[in-house]
């Protein structure tokens, strides 16, 4: 009998993750905070200025995060899954605000890969081989990538200065 080696912990590709409901969006924010910033629920609640972590647990359980607490929650987690979910439920395309910096060859190659994946899934969907949710998610990623590049090119005439360390 051969011994099984422990498998390396796989991290999520956070660029591809999308929430399908508000509770999942809150859970994804907390998972991102833990994985990327080593912040548990206690630390997130503390950074939000909450008196007790149990308030945050209550909001997670009921999926009723007050709108006024969304920005501090997402800031504490370091991601915007709740805002993206709310935008998508309103049938809006949500993209990060570009700064007008020149795109690298790798950025363009990644965009091309996203287009290729979306096109492949679209063809497979019409052949009955993939489900609609997966195809819609891929098409949304492609549209978002292209919209970001469009806005980035428009801003390249007068690029913005990076005011905060996390803007890249």
């Amino acid at each position: 009998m051969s011994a099984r080696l422990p498998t390396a912990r796989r991290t999520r590709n956070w660029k591809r993750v999308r929430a399908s409901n508000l509770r999942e969006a809150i859970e994804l924010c907390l998972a991102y905070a833990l994985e990327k910033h080593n912040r548990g629920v206690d630390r997130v609640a503390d950074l939000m200025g909450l008196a007790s972590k149990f308030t945050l647990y209550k909001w997670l359980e009921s999926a009723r995060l007050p709108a006024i607490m969304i920005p501090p929650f997402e800031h504490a987690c370091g991601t915007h899954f709740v805002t993206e979910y709310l935008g998508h439920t309103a049938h809006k395309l949500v993209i990060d605000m570009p700064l007008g910096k020149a795109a690298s060859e790798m950025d363009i190659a990644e965009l091309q890969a996203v287009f290729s994946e979306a096109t492949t899934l679209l063809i497979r969907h019409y052949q009955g081989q993939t489900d609609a949710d997966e195809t819609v998610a891929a098409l949304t990623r492609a549209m978002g990538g292209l919209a970001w590049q469009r806005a980035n090119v428009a801003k390249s005439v007068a690029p913005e200065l990076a005011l905060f360390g996390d803007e890249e």
Side-chain angles (χ1 to χ4, degrees):
M1 203 185 271
S2 64
R4 295 188 72 173
L5 297 174
T7 57
R9 183 177 163 211
R10 294 183 184 178
T11 59
R12 292 184 211 200
N13 182 351
W14 290 102
K15 290 182 179 182
R16 296 175 164 262
V17 176
R18 296 289 177 261
S20 59
N21 58 58
L22 186 56
R23 175 176 285 140
E24 184 181 7
I26 296 169
E27 289 172 353
L28 285 171
C29 284
L30 291 170
Y32 184 91
L34 186 60
E35 183 177 315
K36 294 292 187 181
H37 303 292
N38 199 25
R39 294 180 188 150
V41 174
D42 291 351
R43 183 72 178 129
V44 170
D46 185 46
L47 288 171
M48 291 174 65
L50 297 176
S52 169
K53 67 179 178 184
F54 297 108
T55 303
L56 188 53
Y57 279 119
K58 180 180 79 173
W59 293 338
L60 174 61
E61 179 186 15
S62 65
R64 292 183 181 265
L65 180 64
I68 197 166
M69 295 306 293
I70 293 172
F73 173 69
E74 290 182 332
H75 180 73
C77 292
T79 189
H80 301 281
F81 289 112
V82 174
T83 299
E84 289 174 1
Y85 168 74
L86 293 173
H88 291 170
T89 58
H91 303 288
K92 303 296 180 195
L93 184 61
V94 180
I95 61 169
D96 291 330
M97 194 67 89
L99 298 174
K101 297 187 321 183
S104 69
E105 291 83 10
M106 189 57 130
D107 293 335
I108 304 302
E110 287 176 10
L111 182 61
Q112 186 175 9
V114 169
F115 281 149
S116 178
E117 177 192 18
T119 304
T120 301
L121 286 173
L122 187 59
I123 291 168
R124 288 184 180 163
H125 174 73
Y126 287 123
Q127 293 173 343
Q129 297 174 356
T130 59
D131 66 344
D133 291 339
E134 183 181 8
T135 305
V136 167
L139 290 169
T140 301
R141 282 192 302 275
M143 291 185 328
L146 189 59
W148 188 92
Q149 288 297 337
R150 179 193 178 279
N152 196 46
V153 168
K155 282 190 171 188
S156 67
V157 176
E160 296 177 10
L161 297 174
L163 299 177
F164 307 102
D166 61 348
E167 293 178 351
E168 291 187 26

